[in-house]
Amino acid sequence: MSERNPFGGTISHLSPSEVRQGLADGSILLVDVREPNEIQAERIPGAVSFPLSTWNPAALPDPAGKRLVFSCRSGQRSQQAAAAAQKAGLAYEEHMKGGILGWREAGFDVERG
């Protein structure tokens, strides 16, 4: 269900479980908007790095028929990314609620190093 994004536009909150299933079945492209040092410390397997600090919506990866879902540390920057994408005319409104913190809290593996 979509709702108003506090950063503008609309937002749909996906649970870490929903995102994990989408990564497993190939229906989701997860775009991690954290900074390179954060991603180097830990990352969700299969996520694509696209730092919010160097944001260029025209350079977002092509989801190739998949659902593009934003993620970050806790869920704030991913909502900002969705708002910025919508402001640029892109229809991306999904993010992973709780970010990588929620992912780990759900007991899912991360890659380190």
Side-chain angles (χ1 to χ4, degrees):
M1 181 169 115
S2 296
E3 62 183 43
R4 291 292 305 155
N5 186 336
F7 301 101
T10 58
I11 193 74
S12 294
H13 306 282
L14 299 182
S15 71
S17 294
E18 290 171 307
V19 171
R20 183 175 185 230
Q21 180 60 46
L23 287 170
D25 68 22
S27 64
I28 284 178
L29 173 65
L30 187 63
V31 176
D32 190 334
V33 299
R34 295 176 304 140
E35 295 306 307
N37 64 313
E38 294 175 283
I39 291 169
Q40 186 171 1
E42 66 178 356
R43 63 193 163 282
I44 295 170
V48 175
S49 175
F50 199 84
L52 191 59
S53 65
T54 58
W55 186 256
N56 176 2
L60 276 165
D62 180 359
K66 298 179 181 183
R67 295 163 58 192
L68 190 147
V69 177
F70 295 108
S71 71
C72 63
R73 179 180 174 272
S74 65
Q76 294 299 310
R77 285 177 283 176
S78 56
Q79 291 184 73
Q80 291 174 3
Q86 290 172 44
K87 187 174 182 180
L90 302 170
Y92 304 137
E93 66 177 53
E94 294 181 303
H95 90 116
M96 184 172 69
K97 188 174 183 176
I100 198 166
L101 296 177
W103 179 271
R104 279 193 285 119
E105 188 175 291
F108 303 145
D109 291 336
V110 295
E111 295 175 340
R112 298 184 189 279

